[in-house]
Amino acid sequence: MKHRKSIKRRGCSRIGRTYDCKAFRRLMHKTQVFLSPEGDHYRTRLTHTLEVAQIARTIARSLNLNEDLTETVGEHVLVATPTEDFERLSLHEPRLKAPRLWNEGPCVMEINGEYVMNYSANYFASNNYAICLATAKTPLGPWKKAQNNPVLSQREDLFGAGHNAFFTGKDGVLYTAFHIQTDPQNPSADRRTVIGKVEFELENGKFVQRIF
């Protein structure tokens, strides 16, 4: 019996592993907007991811490019795990049924040839949720966590800062949007979004980040 030539092109097997993994399937429970699932269509991070992937494939097809290369190419690289003491406070969270740790919600930008990444640590529904900083020479790392972490967790006017994203205003100033606890006296999954100004400085050759 003759062997049939595989119809899969480069990258297909890795794309398949992404779609089949548990982390990808869990996106179906994470909403992009307020979820009211009774009798209406709604968007989750799973549907949003699939929509973006389809747009990328359409653009690639129109440019006569390899569609498979618009998605996952290469193996995933682990960039951060909860290793610092302040990142492990969720182990003592009484509301969790089992011990859990978080390093999540990364956003990356390049500054003067070096990559800076914000990520969030600790339980998102607690006042200990925190924005942290890591830096690397290349996007795939190795990433080194900053010594002044966490960059922002709580202060007099906010608690549980995390899951941020960078953007530059029309005034050329760098900002970040992130969520905080709605009621710090009763921390929960109920959160609100705020915006702060971001500054990066080099101190002894290392990036220090501040959010105002």
Side-chain angles (χ1 to χ4, degrees):
M1 181 177 179
K2 294 183 178 181
H3 293 287
R4 288 183 295 179
K5 184 177 181 180
S6 173
I7 62 172
K8 290 186 177 181
R9 298 191 296 270
R10 180 188 175 191
C12 284
S13 61
R14 289 167 181 151
I15 294 170
R17 286 201 298 271
T18 299
Y19 286 169
D20 290 336
C21 73
K22 289 183 179 179
F24 183 79
R25 299 301 177 92
R26 288 194 188 106
L27 293 177
M28 67 189 299
H29 302 299
K30 297 180 179 291
T31 58
Q32 291 291 102
V33 293
F34 174 72
L35 174 60
S36 180
E38 297 181 5
D40 198 2
H41 297 290
Y42 59 92
R43 172 174 286 157
T44 67
R45 292 185 186 176
L46 179 64
T47 59
H48 176 72
T49 301
L50 294 174
E51 289 166 359
V52 171
Q54 184 56 52
I55 292 172
R57 283 179 168 273
T58 300
I59 294 174
R61 189 181 306 120
S62 67
L63 297 174
N64 200 29
L65 302 175
N66 187 336
E67 298 175 34
D68 296 325
L69 300 186
T70 63
E71 298 188 47
T72 304
V73 177
E75 299 297 331
H76 293 107
V77 176
L78 181 64
V79 298
T81 57
T83 54
E84 308 302 313
D85 289 342
F86 72 87
E87 297 178 331
R88 303 174 68 84
L89 296 176
S90 57
L91 292 176
H92 310 290
E93 174 57 60
R95 290 174 293 167
L96 295 175
K97 296 180 179 179
R100 297 185 64 183
L101 295 168
W102 281 269
N103 269 182
E104 63 173 8
C107 59
V108 180
M109 64 181 301
E110 183 266 339
I111 301 178
N112 298 329
E114 189 159 357
Y115 293 89
V116 297
M117 174 178 67
N118 276 165
Y119 65 94
S120 299
N122 289 318
Y123 183 32
F124 67 89
S126 76
N127 289 335
N128 293 322
Y129 202 49
I131 298 173
C132 305
L133 172 68
T135 59
K137 297 297 183 182
T138 69
L140 296 181
W143 290 86
K144 185 175 182 179
K145 295 180 178 180
Q147 293 181 347
N148 73 321
N149 277 336
V151 175
L152 180 61
S153 176
Q154 46 186 272
R155 62 191 189 201
E156 291 183 359
D157 59 332
L158 58 83
F159 292 82
H163 219 149
N164 66 310
F166 299 117
F167 68 95
T168 302
K170 292 182 179 180
D171 53 3
V173 174
L174 180 64
Y175 297 92
T176 186
F178 55 97
H179 62 64
I180 61 175
Q181 284 294 310
T182 299
D183 182 6
Q185 299 300 321
N186 299 285
S188 67
D190 188 358
R191 293 154 291 172
R192 56 197 176 103
T193 301
V194 296
I195 293 174
K197 180 181 176 181
V198 181
E199 288 185 358
F200 288 97
E201 294 181 357
L202 278 175
E203 295 185 3
N204 298 320
K206 297 180 180 179
F207 273 107
V208 174
Q209 178 184 1
R210 297 179 178 86
I211 300 175
F212 303 95

